[in-house]
Structures are given as C-alpha cells and as structure tokens.
Amino acid sequence: MNGVMEFLRTTGGLLGLFIETLYWCKSAISNSDKVFAQLYIIGNQTLPVGALIALFSGGVLALQAGPTLAQFGLEENVGGLVGLSLAKEIGPIMASILIAGRVGSAMAAELASMSVYEEIDALKTMDINPVRYLVMPRFIAMVLALPVLVIYMDVIGWFGGGLVALVNPEVHLSLDVYYRNLSELVDFVAVVNGLIKAMFFGVIISIVCCYVGLKTKGGPREIGYSVTKAVVMSFVLVLVSDYYITRILLFLNID
Amino acid sequence: MERKIEEQESNTTLLGAVTSEQNGRTGSVLLDYLKCAAVGLKIDNINRSFGDNHVLRGVNLNIEPGETVVILGKSGSGKSVLMRHIIGLECPDTGRIFVAGEDINDPEFKRNHVLAMVFQSSALFNSLTVSENVALYLREHKIFTEESRIKEIVSSALEIVGLQGKEDEMPSEISGGMKRRVAVARALVMNPEVILFDEPTAGLDPMMTRTIGDLICDLKHQIQITQIVVTHDIDLAFYVADRIAILSEGRILEVGTPDQIRSSTNSGVIDFIKPQFA
C-alpha cells in the first residue's frame, strides 16, 4: 500500500513539476543567460564522450550485421541497417543514457545539495521561484540539446559503421556503396522520428532529475541516494516510454 | 549600564564606521536605499505537528515595530520551526501570523511586504560569487535597471558587513563567519521590514560571535529594523535583545526584557539561563 501511495505521489509530483515548468517557459527569453549556461554545460560534458560512444556503436552494428548479411550476399545493405538503427533507436537511446548519466546525475546532485543546505529555502524567502530559476533553464536546455546531440551522434555512428564495413574483411564494403545505401534508406522522416523521441526523452530526464533533486531531504547520504534514484528512474522511464512513443509514431506514420 | 557602554562601543565598529566621515559615502548608499519602515509582528496561537510530534503548541508572541526579539530555547524546542513559519516556508496547522496587520499566508502579502532571513547554514549559492549572491534579489526582481546601481548597493552592503574587497570570492573560499555576514548583506539588500536570524552564531568562534552580535545591534540602532533572532546562545541573546522569549517544548514560557528574564522566578527559565559551568 505504501508503495502504491509513493508511486502515485511521485507521478503526481512529476506531472505537477512538468506543468509548472511549462508555465514558467514564458520567462525563457528573459532568462536566456541561464538557458545558455545550461546548454554550455550539457555540450561540454557530452560532446567528446558522445563522439566516442557513437563511433564504436556504429562500428559494432556493422561488425555484427555485416558478416551475417554477407552470408546472404546482402552486405550492400549494411549502410541502411546501421543508418536506420542509429537514426530511429540507438541514437536517441544512447544520447539519452549519456545525458542522464552525465548531466542528469549532476543536475540531481546540484539540486539535492541545494535542498539539503537550505539554498532552495533561501530562494523562496527571496520570492524567487525555484522552478523558474532552476528547473526551467535546465528543462529547455535539455529539450533543445538532446536532439542536437542525437544528430551529432548519428553522423559519427554512421561514419563508424562505414569504417568497420570498409576494413572488416568479411564485409569489405567501400564507403561509397555504404553511404549510397544509407542515404537511400534513411530519409528525413526517419531522422525526425529519432529527434521527436529525443525531445520526449529530454523532457523525461530533466523533469525526473530536477524533481528528485528538489525533493531531497536529509544530508550527504540522501544526496547520493537521490542521484542514483534520478539516474535509474530516468533510464527506466526512457526505455519504457520509448516503446510507447514508437507505437504512437508508427500510428501517426512518422516512421 | 555595562551593556549600554558595550553597545555604544560596538556601534563604532560596523555601521558606525561606514557612516563616519571617512567611509560614509559608500556605506550610506545602502542606508539611503533602505526605507527603514519598521513593522510589528503578531504570532497568534500557532500549532504545528509533524506526524505524532507536536512541535509548536499554541505559540503567541507580539513584536513591536523596530524591536529586536530573541527567541531563546534549547535544541529541539521548535525555534527554527517557528522561524520557518514566520518567513512563510511552513504553514501552521492552526493559528495565524500577522505582519503589519496582514496575514503572511495572504496571497497579496508578498506584494506588500518583504521579510528576509539569515539561515543557520548561510545558504549561499555555491555557484555564484559573493557579490552575485548579494545581488541576486536585485537582479531577479529587476529592482534597478542600471547594473552600476546594483554594484553600488552590493558594494555598500558588503562594506557594511565588513567584507569590502571580497566581491569576487566564491563562498567556498571564505570562512563560516564571512559566509554568515554575506548572508546578512544579502538579506539587507532586499530592503526588508523584518530580518530573521536563525542561529546566527552557531559554529562561530567567540570573536566572530561578537562581530555578528555587533552587526545585529548596529542594524537595530542605525536602521531601526524589526529583528527576530533565534538562538540558544545566551550571551548573544542578552547582548542584542530588546526582549527575550523563552521557548520550551513548543510553548513560550516567558517573555520580557533581558533584566526581567534574569530576575525570572520561573524554574524553566532559571534552569535555561543559569551558567552551566559555574
């Protein structure tokens, strides 16, 4: 019973924070400096690691699929397979997990620390709304940054796949053939499909991490618990919602 | 008498110093900016429970405009909870709090009145410099359009608390006593009608305790602002208070001037204020 109550309370809290954050988006322009500061943090923390992850993920896709396709004489389709997998699924999921792990955890830790050390209370006493001041800039920055990161990782992943398809003796596909097949199969809608998912994941990660951080009470131990909770909850919600978003996108023919 | 002499001496240390001819120009910028509108405060039968823990049990207290009242009590007596109710961070189960006759939980209250609080932990924002911390309220509420005016007020506030030259330091680079004084400066630039101090000397050395005590006295004399100080530091309480309220187990045991509290016959009061190591 306590678990059910806790689930309902958390769900209500997340929805409440989401609605309040949407309301405060009206102040985005006057708080653009805070949004850009968050964008800078996100870019700084994710671009180098994102490139590395994407390069090897694209590579491993080509490594796994290439020889199998080659057995049936279909190795020319490696480009399309890697391209579509990255654009529709692996790109948004990888970018979301990277952002949740690197940026979401830092957000949760920062807000949890601010809650524990009375900084959130100090904001309230100064009549500064914590959602406007802290959550809204993080929310907007993440919703904007995640799709951009997905495009960035897609392109690097496609390159990684092409490189492996070229050097792997079992596939040995020229880059020209690889990219021709990729560009035939990966159309604009496939990329948009991944970007829509990325935006939803950005909403989930920013709201979950900020909510868990703001609700933290206690001391340093609770800050640690909150960070773990925020990251795990983000992962689970991203992966579960991915299925339902995919269903909705299929229904809407954005596929 | 001794206390009065001490107070006079202390007045020459902080606010007194910056309003002197030598340093007056910068310090007086803030004094000119503060509107000095002292207001009274009435706490009317506040009750608050957390689960089975009945923390506040019918607290009643009247505070006159410009008065410095110290709420004295042992740890766990409900002092900080009462403070959080006064500033509006908690809502009472029953009872009301009025500032200048207006209920603090009235939606219009925050438009008409400003209350500031100096937290026990100072609650400075670690990602902002000292001056950015102090300027935060002015910038977020767009009190001034000119950045130069904000800088002037911030410099003046930092000078008043004796921290000139520390503008660009980060909170992690300054001592606990300095953080507490930055928190006072941050509260002052809000131009508040009431300042609340939550355990202002907790964790500070005796010299810094004296500095904070002097600062509270200076604010009282120079700005005539209404101040509420929550502490279990008996020396500080007798040093700064116009009146002292003893809080015990969620109830006000006694309220009176420092002399009245010293001569109290209430055993709870006597036990609390008697020297522990005499």
PDB file of all heavy atoms in Angstrom, chain B residues 66-101:
ATOM      1  N   GLY B  66      10.375  47.806  15.008  1.00  0.00           N
ATOM      2  CA  GLY B  66      11.734  48.215  15.346  1.00  0.00           C
ATOM      3  C   GLY B  66      12.352  47.470  16.508  1.00  0.00           C
ATOM      4  O   GLY B  66      13.489  47.765  16.903  1.00  0.00           O
ATOM      5  N   GLU B  67      11.642  46.494  17.025  1.00  0.00           N
ATOM      6  CA  GLU B  67      12.136  45.776  18.200  1.00  0.00           C
ATOM      7  C   GLU B  67      13.025  44.606  17.776  1.00  0.00           C
ATOM      8  O   GLU B  67      12.816  44.004  16.722  1.00  0.00           O
ATOM      9  CB  GLU B  67      10.921  45.234  18.970  1.00  0.00           C
ATOM     10  CG  GLU B  67      11.234  44.782  20.371  1.00  0.00           C
ATOM     11  CD  GLU B  67       9.974  44.310  21.105  1.00  0.00           C
ATOM     12  OE1 GLU B  67       9.009  43.874  20.435  1.00  0.00           O
ATOM     13  OE2 GLU B  67       9.972  44.348  22.332  1.00  0.00           O
ATOM     14  N   THR B  68      14.017  44.295  18.598  1.00  0.00           N
ATOM     15  CA  THR B  68      14.811  43.082  18.390  1.00  0.00           C
ATOM     16  C   THR B  68      14.414  42.074  19.462  1.00  0.00           C
ATOM     17  O   THR B  68      14.663  42.282  20.639  1.00  0.00           O
ATOM     18  CB  THR B  68      16.319  43.392  18.476  1.00  0.00           C
ATOM     19  OG1 THR B  68      16.652  44.305  17.428  1.00  0.00           O
ATOM     20  CG2 THR B  68      17.146  42.133  18.316  1.00  0.00           C
ATOM     21  N   VAL B  69      13.777  41.019  19.019  1.00  0.00           N
ATOM     22  CA  VAL B  69      13.320  39.979  19.945  1.00  0.00           C
ATOM     23  C   VAL B  69      14.139  38.721  19.719  1.00  0.00           C
ATOM     24  O   VAL B  69      14.322  38.294  18.585  1.00  0.00           O
ATOM     25  CB  VAL B  69      11.813  39.680  19.734  1.00  0.00           C
ATOM     26  CG1 VAL B  69      11.394  38.446  20.512  1.00  0.00           C
ATOM     27  CG2 VAL B  69      10.977  40.875  20.160  1.00  0.00           C
ATOM     28  N   VAL B  70      14.641  38.177  20.801  1.00  0.00           N
ATOM     29  CA  VAL B  70      15.398  36.925  20.709  1.00  0.00           C
ATOM     30  C   VAL B  70      14.517  35.802  21.219  1.00  0.00           C
ATOM     31  O   VAL B  70      13.937  35.889  22.309  1.00  0.00           O
ATOM     32  CB  VAL B  70      16.700  37.002  21.543  1.00  0.00           C
ATOM     33  CG1 VAL B  70      17.397  35.651  21.563  1.00  0.00           C
ATOM     34  CG2 VAL B  70      17.623  38.060  20.972  1.00  0.00           C
ATOM     35  N   ILE B  71      14.377  34.768  20.411  1.00  0.00           N
ATOM     36  CA  ILE B  71      13.658  33.575  20.850  1.00  0.00           C
ATOM     37  C   ILE B  71      14.722  32.571  21.293  1.00  0.00           C
ATOM     38  O   ILE B  71      15.531  32.107  20.485  1.00  0.00           O
ATOM     39  CB  ILE B  71      12.775  33.007  19.718  1.00  0.00           C
ATOM     40  CG1 ILE B  71      11.734  34.066  19.305  1.00  0.00           C
ATOM     41  CG2 ILE B  71      12.082  31.723  20.169  1.00  0.00           C
ATOM     42  CD1 ILE B  71      10.951  33.735  18.059  1.00  0.00           C
ATOM     43  N   LEU B  72      14.715  32.326  22.579  1.00  0.00           N
ATOM     44  CA  LEU B  72      15.774  31.520  23.188  1.00  0.00           C
ATOM     45  C   LEU B  72      15.176  30.172  23.573  1.00  0.00           C
ATOM     46  O   LEU B  72      14.059  30.104  24.116  1.00  0.00           O
ATOM     47  CB  LEU B  72      16.259  32.269  24.434  1.00  0.00           C
ATOM     48  CG  LEU B  72      17.589  31.926  25.071  1.00  0.00           C
ATOM     49  CD1 LEU B  72      18.733  32.085  24.095  1.00  0.00           C
ATOM     50  CD2 LEU B  72      17.826  32.820  26.293  1.00  0.00           C
ATOM     51  N   GLY B  73      15.881  29.127  23.318  1.00  0.00           N
ATOM     52  CA  GLY B  73      15.380  27.809  23.704  1.00  0.00           C
ATOM     53  C   GLY B  73      16.423  26.763  23.405  1.00  0.00           C
ATOM     54  O   GLY B  73      17.309  26.977  22.582  1.00  0.00           O
ATOM     55  N   LYS B  74      16.268  25.629  24.085  1.00  0.00           N
ATOM     56  CA  LYS B  74      17.261  24.576  23.852  1.00  0.00           C
ATOM     57  C   LYS B  74      17.013  23.914  22.500  1.00  0.00           C
ATOM     58  O   LYS B  74      15.965  24.143  21.875  1.00  0.00           O
ATOM     59  CB  LYS B  74      17.212  23.560  24.986  1.00  0.00           C
ATOM     60  CG  LYS B  74      15.875  22.868  25.146  1.00  0.00           C
ATOM     61  CD  LYS B  74      15.889  21.985  26.369  1.00  0.00           C
ATOM     62  CE  LYS B  74      14.516  21.324  26.534  1.00  0.00           C
ATOM     63  NZ  LYS B  74      14.399  20.567  27.763  1.00  0.00           N
ATOM     64  N   SER B  75      17.963  23.094  22.057  1.00  0.00           N
ATOM     65  CA  SER B  75      17.830  22.416  20.767  1.00  0.00           C
ATOM     66  C   SER B  75      16.574  21.552  20.772  1.00  0.00           C
ATOM     67  O   SER B  75      16.289  20.858  21.750  1.00  0.00           O
ATOM     68  CB  SER B  75      19.052  21.524  20.509  1.00  0.00           C
ATOM     69  OG  SER B  75      20.201  22.315  20.497  1.00  0.00           O
ATOM     70  N   GLY B  76      15.825  21.600  19.690  1.00  0.00           N
ATOM     71  CA  GLY B  76      14.629  20.775  19.569  1.00  0.00           C
ATOM     72  C   GLY B  76      13.400  21.387  20.203  1.00  0.00           C
ATOM     73  O   GLY B  76      12.353  20.730  20.298  1.00  0.00           O
ATOM     74  N   SER B  77      13.504  22.633  20.649  1.00  0.00           N
ATOM     75  CA  SER B  77      12.343  23.250  21.315  1.00  0.00           C
ATOM     76  C   SER B  77      11.354  23.841  20.306  1.00  0.00           C
ATOM     77  O   SER B  77      10.283  24.297  20.686  1.00  0.00           O
ATOM     78  CB  SER B  77      12.809  24.327  22.296  1.00  0.00           C
ATOM     79  OG  SER B  77      13.548  25.308  21.607  1.00  0.00           O
ATOM     80  N   GLY B  78      11.713  23.866  19.038  1.00  0.00           N
ATOM     81  CA  GLY B  78      10.796  24.373  18.000  1.00  0.00           C
ATOM     82  C   GLY B  78      11.136  25.769  17.508  1.00  0.00           C
ATOM     83  O   GLY B  78      10.353  26.365  16.785  1.00  0.00           O
ATOM     84  N   LYS B  79      12.316  26.266  17.869  1.00  0.00           N
ATOM     85  CA  LYS B  79      12.698  27.637  17.467  1.00  0.00           C
ATOM     86  C   LYS B  79      12.763  27.796  15.953  1.00  0.00           C
ATOM     87  O   LYS B  79      12.172  28.711  15.388  1.00  0.00           O
ATOM     88  CB  LYS B  79      14.079  28.014  18.042  1.00  0.00           C
ATOM     89  CG  LYS B  79      14.246  27.866  19.521  1.00  0.00           C
ATOM     90  CD  LYS B  79      15.584  28.391  19.976  1.00  0.00           C
ATOM     91  CE  LYS B  79      16.777  27.676  19.397  1.00  0.00           C
ATOM     92  NZ  LYS B  79      16.963  26.280  19.848  1.00  0.00           N
ATOM     93  N   SER B  80      13.514  26.884  15.324  1.00  0.00           N
ATOM     94  CA  SER B  80      13.701  27.022  13.874  1.00  0.00           C
ATOM     95  C   SER B  80      12.388  26.777  13.129  1.00  0.00           C
ATOM     96  O   SER B  80      12.134  27.412  12.107  1.00  0.00           O
ATOM     97  CB  SER B  80      14.780  26.051  13.382  1.00  0.00           C
ATOM     98  OG  SER B  80      16.024  26.430  13.914  1.00  0.00           O
ATOM     99  N   VAL B  81      11.577  25.876  13.649  1.00  0.00           N
ATOM    100  CA  VAL B  81      10.268  25.615  13.019  1.00  0.00           C
ATOM    101  C   VAL B  81       9.409  26.875  13.099  1.00  0.00           C
ATOM    102  O   VAL B  81       8.746  27.267  12.130  1.00  0.00           O
ATOM    103  CB  VAL B  81       9.562  24.418  13.702  1.00  0.00           C
ATOM    104  CG1 VAL B  81       8.159  24.224  13.131  1.00  0.00           C
ATOM    105  CG2 VAL B  81      10.368  23.147  13.510  1.00  0.00           C
ATOM    106  N   LEU B  82       9.450  27.537  14.246  1.00  0.00           N
ATOM    107  CA  LEU B  82       8.691  28.789  14.399  1.00  0.00           C
ATOM    108  C   LEU B  82       9.192  29.828  13.398  1.00  0.00           C
ATOM    109  O   LEU B  82       8.397  30.532  12.747  1.00  0.00           O
ATOM    110  CB  LEU B  82       8.836  29.298  15.843  1.00  0.00           C
ATOM    111  CG  LEU B  82       8.149  30.627  16.151  1.00  0.00           C
ATOM    112  CD1 LEU B  82       6.652  30.552  15.889  1.00  0.00           C
ATOM    113  CD2 LEU B  82       8.414  31.050  17.600  1.00  0.00           C
ATOM    114  N   MET B  83      10.516  29.899  13.253  1.00  0.00           N
ATOM    115  CA  MET B  83      11.113  30.853  12.306  1.00  0.00           C
ATOM    116  C   MET B  83      10.649  30.566  10.881  1.00  0.00           C
ATOM    117  O   MET B  83      10.321  31.486  10.122  1.00  0.00           O
ATOM    118  CB  MET B  83      12.635  30.700  12.408  1.00  0.00           C
ATOM    119  CG  MET B  83      13.411  31.803  11.802  1.00  0.00           C
ATOM    120  SD  MET B  83      13.252  33.279  12.778  1.00  0.00           S
ATOM    121  CE  MET B  83      14.911  33.523  13.308  1.00  0.00           C
ATOM    122  N   ARG B  84      10.621  29.284  10.526  1.00  0.00           N
ATOM    123  CA  ARG B  84      10.191  28.900   9.169  1.00  0.00           C
ATOM    124  C   ARG B  84       8.721  29.246   8.942  1.00  0.00           C
ATOM    125  O   ARG B  84       8.311  29.515   7.814  1.00  0.00           O
ATOM    126  CB  ARG B  84      10.447  27.406   8.936  1.00  0.00           C
ATOM    127  CG  ARG B  84      11.928  27.062   8.846  1.00  0.00           C
ATOM    128  CD  ARG B  84      12.151  25.560   8.756  1.00  0.00           C
ATOM    129  NE  ARG B  84      11.649  25.005   7.521  1.00  0.00           N
ATOM    130  CZ  ARG B  84      12.303  25.000   6.363  1.00  0.00           C
ATOM    131  NH1 ARG B  84      13.513  25.522   6.307  1.00  0.00           N
ATOM    132  NH2 ARG B  84      11.771  24.490   5.284  1.00  0.00           N
ATOM    133  N   HIS B  85       7.931  29.240  10.015  1.00  0.00           N
ATOM    134  CA  HIS B  85       6.529  29.657   9.885  1.00  0.00           C
ATOM    135  C   HIS B  85       6.442  31.165   9.661  1.00  0.00           C
ATOM    136  O   HIS B  85       5.643  31.642   8.856  1.00  0.00           O
ATOM    137  CB  HIS B  85       5.734  29.278  11.140  1.00  0.00           C
ATOM    138  CG  HIS B  85       5.297  27.842  11.146  1.00  0.00           C
ATOM    139  ND1 HIS B  85       6.141  26.822  11.496  1.00  0.00           N
ATOM    140  CD2 HIS B  85       4.116  27.269  10.835  1.00  0.00           C
ATOM    141  CE1 HIS B  85       5.486  25.679  11.397  1.00  0.00           C
ATOM    142  NE2 HIS B  85       4.259  25.911  11.001  1.00  0.00           N
ATOM    143  N   ILE B  86       7.283  31.912  10.371  1.00  0.00           N
ATOM    144  CA  ILE B  86       7.230  33.380  10.253  1.00  0.00           C
ATOM    145  C   ILE B  86       7.624  33.819   8.842  1.00  0.00           C
ATOM    146  O   ILE B  86       7.010  34.706   8.261  1.00  0.00           O
ATOM    147  CB  ILE B  86       8.156  34.048  11.312  1.00  0.00           C
ATOM    148  CG1 ILE B  86       7.663  33.725  12.720  1.00  0.00           C
ATOM    149  CG2 ILE B  86       8.194  35.561  11.105  1.00  0.00           C
ATOM    150  CD1 ILE B  86       8.626  34.136  13.825  1.00  0.00           C
ATOM    151  N   ILE B  87       8.633  33.145   8.272  1.00  0.00           N
ATOM    152  CA  ILE B  87       9.094  33.543   6.930  1.00  0.00           C
ATOM    153  C   ILE B  87       8.196  32.967   5.830  1.00  0.00           C
ATOM    154  O   ILE B  87       8.309  33.337   4.660  1.00  0.00           O
ATOM    155  CB  ILE B  87      10.584  33.114   6.722  1.00  0.00           C
ATOM    156  CG1 ILE B  87      11.243  33.876   5.570  1.00  0.00           C
ATOM    157  CG2 ILE B  87      10.733  31.640   6.506  1.00  0.00           C
ATOM    158  CD1 ILE B  87      11.617  35.286   5.864  1.00  0.00           C
ATOM    159  N   GLY B  88       7.306  32.041   6.210  1.00  0.00           N
ATOM    160  CA  GLY B  88       6.362  31.500   5.213  1.00  0.00           C
ATOM    161  C   GLY B  88       6.815  30.220   4.550  1.00  0.00           C
ATOM    162  O   GLY B  88       6.211  29.790   3.567  1.00  0.00           O
ATOM    163  N   LEU B  89       7.886  29.597   5.063  1.00  0.00           N
ATOM    164  CA  LEU B  89       8.331  28.334   4.479  1.00  0.00           C
ATOM    165  C   LEU B  89       7.490  27.160   4.956  1.00  0.00           C
ATOM    166  O   LEU B  89       7.503  26.092   4.356  1.00  0.00           O
ATOM    167  CB  LEU B  89       9.808  28.079   4.827  1.00  0.00           C
ATOM    168  CG  LEU B  89      10.827  28.981   4.135  1.00  0.00           C
ATOM    169  CD1 LEU B  89      12.225  28.763   4.713  1.00  0.00           C
ATOM    170  CD2 LEU B  89      10.831  28.741   2.641  1.00  0.00           C
ATOM    171  N   GLU B  90       6.791  27.323   6.077  1.00  0.00           N
ATOM    172  CA  GLU B  90       5.888  26.286   6.597  1.00  0.00           C
ATOM    173  C   GLU B  90       4.541  26.941   6.881  1.00  0.00           C
ATOM    174  O   GLU B  90       4.483  28.139   7.201  1.00  0.00           O
ATOM    175  CB  GLU B  90       6.423  25.704   7.915  1.00  0.00           C
ATOM    176  CG  GLU B  90       7.812  25.113   7.851  1.00  0.00           C
ATOM    177  CD  GLU B  90       7.825  23.674   7.378  1.00  0.00           C
ATOM    178  OE1 GLU B  90       6.733  23.093   7.191  1.00  0.00           O
ATOM    179  OE2 GLU B  90       8.932  23.152   7.166  1.00  0.00           O
ATOM    180  N   CYS B  91       3.495  26.137   6.795  1.00  0.00           N
ATOM    181  CA  CYS B  91       2.157  26.634   7.143  1.00  0.00           C
ATOM    182  C   CYS B  91       1.717  26.003   8.458  1.00  0.00           C
ATOM    183  O   CYS B  91       1.884  24.796   8.640  1.00  0.00           O
ATOM    184  CB  CYS B  91       1.159  26.270   6.057  1.00  0.00           C
ATOM    185  SG  CYS B  91       1.220  27.392   4.679  1.00  0.00           S
ATOM    186  N   PRO B  92       1.158  26.780   9.351  1.00  0.00           N
ATOM    187  CA  PRO B  92       0.728  26.195  10.625  1.00  0.00           C
ATOM    188  C   PRO B  92      -0.521  25.327  10.452  1.00  0.00           C
ATOM    189  O   PRO B  92      -1.298  25.541   9.522  1.00  0.00           O
ATOM    190  CB  PRO B  92       0.422  27.429  11.479  1.00  0.00           C
ATOM    191  CG  PRO B  92       0.126  28.508  10.507  1.00  0.00           C
ATOM    192  CD  PRO B  92       0.903  28.218   9.262  1.00  0.00           C
ATOM    193  N   ASP B  93      -0.690  24.347  11.372  1.00  0.00           N
ATOM    194  CA  ASP B  93      -1.930  23.549  11.364  1.00  0.00           C
ATOM    195  C   ASP B  93      -3.096  24.454  11.774  1.00  0.00           C
ATOM    196  O   ASP B  93      -4.145  24.435  11.158  1.00  0.00           O
ATOM    197  CB  ASP B  93      -1.809  22.369  12.348  1.00  0.00           C
ATOM    198  CG  ASP B  93      -0.723  21.395  11.911  1.00  0.00           C
ATOM    199  OD1 ASP B  93      -0.449  21.333  10.698  1.00  0.00           O
ATOM    200  OD2 ASP B  93      -0.136  20.722  12.778  1.00  0.00           O
ATOM    201  N   THR B  94      -2.877  25.220  12.840  1.00  0.00           N
ATOM    202  CA  THR B  94      -3.852  26.239  13.248  1.00  0.00           C
ATOM    203  C   THR B  94      -3.087  27.486  13.675  1.00  0.00           C
ATOM    204  O   THR B  94      -1.907  27.412  13.993  1.00  0.00           O
ATOM    205  CB  THR B  94      -4.726  25.766  14.437  1.00  0.00           C
ATOM    206  OG1 THR B  94      -3.845  25.467  15.528  1.00  0.00           O
ATOM    207  CG2 THR B  94      -5.542  24.536  14.080  1.00  0.00           C
ATOM    208  N   GLY B  95      -3.794  28.599  13.702  1.00  0.00           N
ATOM    209  CA  GLY B  95      -3.160  29.856  14.111  1.00  0.00           C
ATOM    210  C   GLY B  95      -2.711  30.669  12.908  1.00  0.00           C
ATOM    211  O   GLY B  95      -2.688  30.164  11.778  1.00  0.00           O
ATOM    212  N   ARG B  96      -2.404  31.923  13.166  1.00  0.00           N
ATOM    213  CA  ARG B  96      -2.028  32.834  12.080  1.00  0.00           C
ATOM    214  C   ARG B  96      -0.874  33.734  12.518  1.00  0.00           C
ATOM    215  O   ARG B  96      -0.667  33.941  13.708  1.00  0.00           O
ATOM    216  CB  ARG B  96      -3.230  33.697  11.678  1.00  0.00           C
ATOM    217  CG  ARG B  96      -4.370  32.873  11.125  1.00  0.00           C
ATOM    218  CD  ARG B  96      -5.648  33.669  11.062  1.00  0.00           C
ATOM    219  NE  ARG B  96      -5.716  34.494   9.864  1.00  0.00           N
ATOM    220  CZ  ARG B  96      -6.705  35.338   9.611  1.00  0.00           C
ATOM    221  NH1 ARG B  96      -7.698  35.492  10.478  1.00  0.00           N
ATOM    222  NH2 ARG B  96      -6.728  36.032   8.513  1.00  0.00           N
ATOM    223  N   ILE B  97      -0.168  34.242  11.520  1.00  0.00           N
ATOM    224  CA  ILE B  97       0.913  35.188  11.796  1.00  0.00           C
ATOM    225  C   ILE B  97       0.629  36.462  10.996  1.00  0.00           C
ATOM    226  O   ILE B  97       0.337  36.388   9.799  1.00  0.00           O
ATOM    227  CB  ILE B  97       2.281  34.590  11.397  1.00  0.00           C
ATOM    228  CG1 ILE B  97       2.567  33.349  12.255  1.00  0.00           C
ATOM    229  CG2 ILE B  97       3.404  35.622  11.574  1.00  0.00           C
ATOM    230  CD1 ILE B  97       3.765  32.543  11.811  1.00  0.00           C
ATOM    231  N   PHE B  98       0.676  37.588  11.687  1.00  0.00           N
ATOM    232  CA  PHE B  98       0.391  38.870  11.034  1.00  0.00           C
ATOM    233  C   PHE B  98       1.641  39.747  11.043  1.00  0.00           C
ATOM    234  O   PHE B  98       2.320  39.850  12.056  1.00  0.00           O
ATOM    235  CB  PHE B  98      -0.725  39.614  11.774  1.00  0.00           C
ATOM    236  CG  PHE B  98      -2.026  38.853  11.804  1.00  0.00           C
ATOM    237  CD1 PHE B  98      -2.332  38.012  12.867  1.00  0.00           C
ATOM    238  CD2 PHE B  98      -2.949  38.979  10.773  1.00  0.00           C
ATOM    239  CE1 PHE B  98      -3.522  37.305  12.894  1.00  0.00           C
ATOM    240  CE2 PHE B  98      -4.135  38.281  10.791  1.00  0.00           C
ATOM    241  CZ  PHE B  98      -4.433  37.441  11.860  1.00  0.00           C
ATOM    242  N   VAL B  99       1.916  40.368   9.910  1.00  0.00           N
ATOM    243  CA  VAL B  99       2.970  41.385   9.836  1.00  0.00           C
ATOM    244  C   VAL B  99       2.280  42.674   9.414  1.00  0.00           C
ATOM    245  O   VAL B  99       1.593  42.696   8.385  1.00  0.00           O
ATOM    246  CB  VAL B  99       4.072  40.987   8.827  1.00  0.00           C
ATOM    247  CG1 VAL B  99       5.050  42.130   8.627  1.00  0.00           C
ATOM    248  CG2 VAL B  99       4.806  39.743   9.306  1.00  0.00           C
ATOM    249  N   ALA B 100       2.427  43.701  10.213  1.00  0.00           N
ATOM    250  CA  ALA B 100       1.750  44.985   9.979  1.00  0.00           C
ATOM    251  C   ALA B 100       0.252  44.763   9.757  1.00  0.00           C
ATOM    252  O   ALA B 100      -0.365  45.389   8.887  1.00  0.00           O
ATOM    253  CB  ALA B 100       2.367  45.704   8.789  1.00  0.00           C
ATOM    254  N   GLY B 101      -0.305  43.815  10.495  1.00  0.00           N
ATOM    255  CA  GLY B 101      -1.740  43.558  10.426  1.00  0.00           C
ATOM    256  C   GLY B 101      -2.183  42.660   9.294  1.00  0.00           C
ATOM    257  O   GLY B 101      -3.358  42.311   9.188  1.00  0.00           O
TER     258      GLY B 101
END
